[in-house]
Amino acid sequence: MSTDTNAIGLHTSSATQLAEHLNVLLANYQTFYMNARGYHWNVKGNQFFELHVKFEETYTDLLTKVDEIAERILTLGHEPMHAYSDYARVATIKEDTHVSDGTACVKGLLTGYKSLIELQREILSVASDADDEGTASLVGDYIREQEKTVWMLSAYLGE
C-alpha cells in the first residue's frame, strides 16, 4: 500500500476532504435531530397523535444516521466532531426553538431534509471523484430515502 493512502486504500488528501465534509454533515444531522426531538416533545393541536409518532420515527432514524456518519469518518481515518459548540459553529441547519404548531413542525422537517439533501449531493460528488464507494453509497441511500420523505411531507402540507 502506498504511503499516501489510508487503511482502506483512499488517498489521504481525499479522505481528509471527505472527513471534513462529513463532519459538517454530522453537525447538521445532530442539529436536525435535536429539532425533531423538540417537535416530538412540544407539538400540540388536533394532529398531535399522528405527528408525535412521526417525529419519534424521524428522530430515531436521524440518530441512527448520526452514528453511521461518525463511523464513516472514523473509517476514513479521522475524528468525528462530538461537541455541540462545534456543531453550532458549522451547521447550516439552525436550532428551531419554541415550535409547537404541527404545521410549523412539519415545515421545519421539510426544510431540514432539503438542507441535508443538498449537503449530501455535494459529498456524493466529492466521494465519486475520490473513488470512495463506501461514502457514496451511504449518502446516496440517504438521498434516495429523504427525497421520498420530502415528497411525502410536501404532500402532507398540500404543497
Side-chain angles (χ1 to χ4, degrees):
M1 186 181 304
S2 172
T3 57
D4 69 336
T5 58
N6 66 5
I8 60 172
L10 296 175
H11 290 285
T12 53
S13 60
S14 296
T16 298
Q17 183 183 21
L18 283 159
E20 289 169 359
H21 283 279
L22 287 168
N23 263 314
V24 171
L25 184 64
L26 178 64
N28 280 280
Y29 265 93
Q30 286 282 37
T31 304
F32 191 36
Y33 165 79
M34 290 305 299
N35 287 346
R37 283 300 297 241
Y39 303 151
H40 171 75
W41 290 330
N42 296 306
V43 67
K44 292 181 171 70
N46 61 2
Q47 301 166 323
F48 170 82
F49 291 105
E50 172 185 3
L51 292 176
H52 187 73
V53 170
K54 182 62 178 173
F55 297 148
E56 183 173 6
E57 174 188 306
T58 299
Y59 76 68
T60 300
D61 178 64
L62 292 171
L63 188 57
T64 298
K65 287 176 171 58
V66 162
D67 193 54
E68 291 171 349
I69 294 164
E71 289 177 351
R72 186 65 193 167
I73 294 166
L74 289 163
T75 300
L76 292 170
H78 293 272
E79 183 177 332
M81 282 185 204
H82 58 275
Y84 282 106
S85 57
D86 290 333
Y87 300 149
R89 182 176 46 80
V90 302
T92 54
I93 295 175
K94 299 303 177 195
E95 292 177 329
D96 199 3
T97 59
H98 309 292
V99 180
S100 61
D101 174 72
T103 299
C105 293
V106 173
K107 286 181 179 179
L109 284 186
L110 189 57
T111 299
Y113 278 121
K114 287 179 179 180
S115 295
L116 292 178
I117 290 168
E118 182 179 336
L119 290 169
Q120 290 163 163
R121 285 186 179 139
E122 292 172 16
I123 293 169
L124 188 60
S125 176
V126 174
S128 178
D129 291 344
D131 292 326
D132 179 3
E133 179 61 31
T135 300
S137 177
L138 183 73
V139 298
D141 288 346
Y142 293 174
I143 290 167
R144 180 187 43 78
E145 291 172 19
Q146 292 164 0
E147 286 174 339
K148 182 175 181 180
T149 302
V150 164
W151 161 66
M152 295 174 87
L153 292 172
S154 297
Y156 182 86
L157 294 170
E159 295 178 359

